[in-house]
Amino acid sequence: MNFPQIARQVIDKLGGKENIATLAHCATRLRLTIADESKIDKAAIENIDGVKGQFSTSGQYQIIFGSGTVNKVHAEMAKIMGGESSASAQAAAANVPQQNIVQRLIKGLSEIFVPIIPAIVAGGLLMGIGNIFTAKDLFQEGKSLLDLYPQYQDLASLIDTFANAPFVFLPILLGFTATKKFGGNPYLGATLGMLLVHPALTNAYGYAEAIQNGTLQNWNILDLISIEKVGYQGTVIPVLIASWVLATLEKFFVKVVPSVLNNLITPLFSLFITGLLAFSVIGPFGREAGELLSSGLTWLYDNLGFIGGGVFGSLYAPIVITGMHQTFIAIETQLLASTAATFIFPIAAMSNIAQGAACLAVAVLNKDAKTRGLAVPSGISALLGITEPAMFGVNLRFRYPFYAAMVGSGLAAAFIAYFNVKATALGAAGLVGIASIRAGDWGMYAVGMAISFTVAFIVALALGMRAKSQA
């Protein structure tokens, strides 16, 4: 693919550089803020090499290229635009209607978590590999692989260390991205994260045991306040709140402190005050909130069973359309930290498999070369966990495959919920996602994928033939 040419074509069909206020990308899509969307030549964009779909939502215009391709197109566009958008485009974009609080929350969480997904996925997949060594009954009843082959103990320990690192030091990653998102110095945010996981603190995973044994130590500050010396490894909510406080304080001090003292006073007071609040107020509150969230979601899933799983599975794809699925990253990370398992990942996988199957059904039903050329790679991509090309480029365009995918996803999700299938890590939610699934649940996960694919494919074929006969 000629990426410089593609970039020039995209910019031209979007109305030129002067019509583009901001340029960013996620795993599969260009995310643009456009000054005047009426200037976009949507039909021409559809015919640009590599484009798999486009749509506008929540003040952003998004063009789907797919994983790997979007990075290269974005890089070429950034070169052409010189890294800056015109002042007139920024001014015009400022007049775009403000997003509501839910949209801002979703966008904010996306911008905080998307940059760290590779680290979480790498750790998650390594954790899945580590589970192979320690899971009992996998190769022999009552025994794990390490019980059978103890010579692999050090290898398993090495993998476990590598796998846990992104989760143990998660506050450092989140401190960096969250503080940057909130307008503060990201390196101060990373330092805040380091404070929260300092080795001198009682490890968060041993907090309950330390309280029970009476070994938890406190800081007694001037005999006025007592603060628990406990870390926040693997937590989400405390560091998000603390990062917002840090960025807010930093911006305040920048305004009031004389510029000659700014480099000394601002970081000192911002970090010290935030750290004090983090350990005395924010941390304890955030830890309890995270535990309640995890316990509540787990209780709902365990008690609603296959009915709740089926409803969630059916609605997962519509949730993706709204963008609210971005918030699930934060919830799943909290679930993994609190309960070492998440039910959201397997259900997301059922939805992705169904979208891929329905998309492939479109390829079977259509003889048009362009449609088939888009549907086949998009369907395969969805089976591997990247659904945007299939969902936005094919299924929503024809509608019937999208409905078929909802049916297949709902039935498969109900099935895996009935058997309480959960993941112990994050990764690509699709065929290869089995590496993230709890070792004892692999069989039911595989059956769930088969149900999702078969039902979605057959229902899409049926609906598609019916649509053709009525045309």
Side-chain angles (χ1 to χ4, degrees), residues 24-90:
H25 74 90
C26 60
T28 58
R29 291 165 277 171
L30 286 176
R31 294 173 175 264
L32 309 128
T33 305
I34 303 298
D36 184 359
E37 289 195 9
S38 66
K39 294 182 180 180
I40 299 174
D41 188 343
K42 296 181 180 179
I45 288 177
E46 288 286 350
N47 292 319
I48 294 175
D49 187 24
V51 171
K52 295 178 171 63
Q54 58 186 313
F55 62 98
S56 179
T57 180
S58 303
Q60 279 192 335
Y61 196 79
Q62 303 187 22
I63 303 176
I64 305 165
F65 278 98
S67 181
T69 302
V70 69
N71 310 56
K72 297 173 183 176
V73 175
H74 175 272
E76 294 298 333
M77 289 181 66
K79 288 180 185 177
I80 296 170
M81 296 178 64
E84 297 181 359
S85 54
S86 69
S88 60
Q90 291 180 354

Side-chain angles (χ1 to χ4, degrees), residues 66 75 103 113 133 216 261 273 332 356 381 386 391 409 415 451:
Q103 291 172 325
F113 278 90
F133 288 93
L216 183 65
L261 297 173
I273 294 172
E332 286 191 281
S381 173
I386 304 295
M391 187 183 300
S409 174
F415 175 84
I451 293 172

Side-chain angles (χ1 to χ4, degrees), residues 324-338:
M324 288 186 67
H325 68 298
Q326 299 287 1
T327 62
F328 294 157
I329 303 171
I331 296 172
E332 286 191 281
T333 305
Q334 183 65 51
L335 283 171
L336 289 172
S338 301

Side-chain angles (χ1 to χ4, degrees), residues 259-292:
S259 58
V260 69
L261 297 173
N262 190 54
N263 286 337
L264 296 174
I265 300 298
T266 297
L268 170 63
F269 281 86
S270 298
L271 192 60
F272 182 79
I273 294 172
T274 304
L276 189 62
L277 291 173
F279 284 107
S280 61
V281 180
I282 298 170
F285 167 79
R287 181 176 57 237
E288 291 302 319
E291 293 292 340
L292 285 173

Side-chain angles (χ1 to χ4, degrees), residues 15-174:
K17 291 192 292 184
E18 63 279 0
N19 199 38
I20 303 173
T22 63
L23 170 67
H25 74 90
C26 60
T28 58
R29 291 165 277 171
L30 286 176
R31 294 173 175 264
L32 309 128
T33 305
I34 303 298
D36 184 359
E37 289 195 9
S38 66
K39 294 182 180 180
I40 299 174
D41 188 343
K42 296 181 180 179
I45 288 177
E46 288 286 350
N47 292 319
I48 294 175
D49 187 24
V51 171
K52 295 178 171 63
Q54 58 186 313
F55 62 98
S56 179
T57 180
S58 303
Q60 279 192 335
Y61 196 79
Q62 303 187 22
I63 303 176
I64 305 165
F65 278 98
S67 181
T69 302
V70 69
N71 310 56
K72 297 173 183 176
V73 175
H74 175 272
E76 294 298 333
M77 289 181 66
K79 288 180 185 177
I80 296 170
M81 296 178 64
E84 297 181 359
S85 54
S86 69
S88 60
Q90 291 180 354
N95 295 321
V96 173
Q98 291 292 311
Q99 298 175 326
N100 60 44
I101 188 170
V102 175
Q103 291 172 325
R104 292 200 300 271
L105 174 64
I106 294 168
K107 184 174 182 290
L109 286 175
S110 173
E111 292 174 358
I112 290 169
F113 278 90
V114 166
I116 69 171
I117 285 178
I120 295 176
V121 168
L125 291 177
L126 283 169
M127 199 174 291
I129 295 171
N131 288 339
I132 297 174
F133 288 93
T134 57
K136 293 187 180 295
D137 302 320
L138 193 58
F139 299 98
Q140 184 174 317
E141 186 176 351
K143 292 187 177 182
S144 67
L145 187 63
L146 288 180
D147 293 330
L148 297 172
Y149 304 99
Q151 63 267 33
Y152 295 127
Q153 181 68 53
D154 286 344
L155 175 60
S157 177
L158 178 74
I159 292 173
D160 182 63
T161 301
F162 289 0
N164 284 327
F167 297 98
V168 171
F169 297 104
L170 183 64
I172 299 176
L173 298 174
L174 287 177

Side-chain angles (χ1 to χ4, degrees), residues 164-465:
N164 284 327
F167 297 98
V168 171
F169 297 104
L170 183 64
I172 299 176
L173 298 174
L174 287 177
F176 186 93
T177 59
T179 303
K180 182 179 180 181
K181 163 61 185 170
F182 296 134
N185 185 323
Y187 296 98
L188 274 181
T191 305
L192 172 65
M194 295 175 196
L195 292 179
L196 296 176
V197 295
H198 197 287
L201 304 170
T202 298
N203 191 294
Y205 302 115
Y207 176 64
E209 183 180 354
I211 291 180
Q212 185 177 1
N213 296 337
T215 58
L216 183 65
Q217 297 181 330
N218 287 21
W219 285 301
N220 291 305
I221 311 300
L222 303 176
D223 291 328
L224 296 175
I225 182 174
S226 181
I227 301 174
E228 293 179 336
K229 295 175 65 174
V230 60
Y232 292 89
Q233 290 85 353
T235 59
V236 174
I237 296 178
V239 69
L240 292 181
I241 299 174
S243 296
W244 176 81
V245 172
L246 175 64
T248 303
L249 284 173
E250 184 188 356
K251 287 184 283 187
F252 168 76
F253 285 122
V254 165
K255 289 181 180 179
V256 300
V257 173
S259 58
V260 69
L261 297 173
N262 190 54
N263 286 337
L264 296 174
I265 300 298
T266 297
L268 170 63
F269 281 86
S270 298
L271 192 60
F272 182 79
I273 294 172
T274 304
L276 189 62
L277 291 173
F279 284 107
S280 61
V281 180
I282 298 170
F285 167 79
R287 181 176 57 237
E288 291 302 319
E291 293 292 340
L292 285 173
L293 175 64
S294 300
S295 299
L297 288 171
T298 302
W299 182 88
L300 284 173
Y301 180 80
D302 291 342
N303 286 273
L304 290 178
F306 72 95
I307 297 176
V311 172
F312 188 20
S314 298
L315 296 179
Y316 190 86
I319 290 172
V320 171
I321 295 175
T322 68
M324 288 186 67
H325 68 298
Q326 299 287 1
T327 62
F328 294 157
I329 303 171
I331 296 172
E332 286 191 281
T333 305
Q334 183 65 51
L335 283 171
L336 289 172
S338 301
T339 66
T342 171
F343 62 87
I344 298 176
F345 179 88
I347 290 178
M350 297 303 107
S351 178
N352 292 351
I353 294 292
Q355 291 292 331
C359 188
L360 292 175
V362 173
V364 172
L365 288 171
N366 283 270
K367 296 181 179 180
D368 177 65
K370 188 175 188 306
T371 300
R372 297 186 70 178
L374 175 61
V376 171
S378 296
I380 294 173
S381 173
L383 295 178
L384 297 175
I386 304 295
T387 58
E388 283 88 348
M391 187 183 300
F392 294 104
V394 179
N395 295 350
L396 282 171
R397 183 185 302 177
F398 290 96
R399 288 184 293 183
Y400 71 83
F402 187 77
Y403 301 143
M406 289 178 63
V407 174
S409 174
L411 290 175
F415 175 84
I416 64 171
Y418 181 81
F419 288 98
N420 198 30
V421 174
K422 291 185 179 179
T424 56
L426 302 182
L431 293 174
V432 296
I434 196 166
S436 300
I437 300 300
R438 195 164 52 187
D441 296 339
W442 288 352
M444 293 301 101
Y445 180 79
V447 174
M449 288 193 294
I451 293 172
S452 181
F453 185 96
T454 304
V455 172
F457 187 82
I458 292 175
V459 173
L461 285 178
L463 294 178
M465 288 187 288

